[in-house]
Amino acid sequence: MNIDSKTLVSISEANQNFSKVARLVDQYGSAVILKNNAPRYIVIDFGRLDEAQEASEEEVLASSRRLMERNRAVYEELAK
């Protein structure tokens, strides 16, 4: 997920001004809340929930390749 610097909000600002967070979500689709200057929470538009949970086919294939490469010796042993 790409994070736009315009959507970053400190946790104290989010606590004091949640309507700002809601406006960011309306405008950009998500907002990232920082805790101790590190991304900690994400607020997304409810309509984008399914999109955020689904992995693309490319991501699944890349993960599969990494796992197969990491466990090559085990797969070769099982193939015997």
Side-chain angles (χ1 to χ4, degrees), residues 30-80:
S30 65
V32 177
I33 299 175
L34 305 172
K35 186 172 184 180
N36 299 323
N37 292 323
R40 182 64 183 252
Y41 307 102
I42 185 164
V43 180
I44 63 170
D45 183 285
F46 190 78
R48 294 182 61 193
L49 184 60
D50 288 336
E51 176 186 325
Q53 292 180 347
E54 292 178 10
S56 70
E57 187 173 339
E58 294 83 23
E59 292 172 320
V60 172
L61 289 173
S63 294
S64 296
R65 277 189 227 104
R66 282 193 306 273
L67 286 170
M68 288 172 58
E69 194 60 39
R70 187 182 308 150
N71 298 301
R72 179 182 295 277
V74 174
Y75 289 123
E76 289 173 353
E77 186 64 31
L78 289 172
K80 292 180 183 178

Side-chain angles (χ1 to χ4, degrees), residues 5-52:
S5 61
K6 297 174 194 163
T7 65
L8 300 176
V9 181
S10 70
I11 195 163
S12 59
E13 185 175 5
N15 187 34
Q16 294 171 359
N17 192 0
F18 190 77
S19 61
K20 176 182 179 178
V21 176
R23 282 193 304 277
L24 289 171
V25 172
D26 288 341
Q27 185 174 359
Y28 297 102
S30 65
V32 177
I33 299 175
L34 305 172
K35 186 172 184 180
N36 299 323
N37 292 323
R40 182 64 183 252
Y41 307 102
I42 185 164
V43 180
I44 63 170
D45 183 285
F46 190 78
R48 294 182 61 193
L49 184 60
D50 288 336
E51 176 186 325

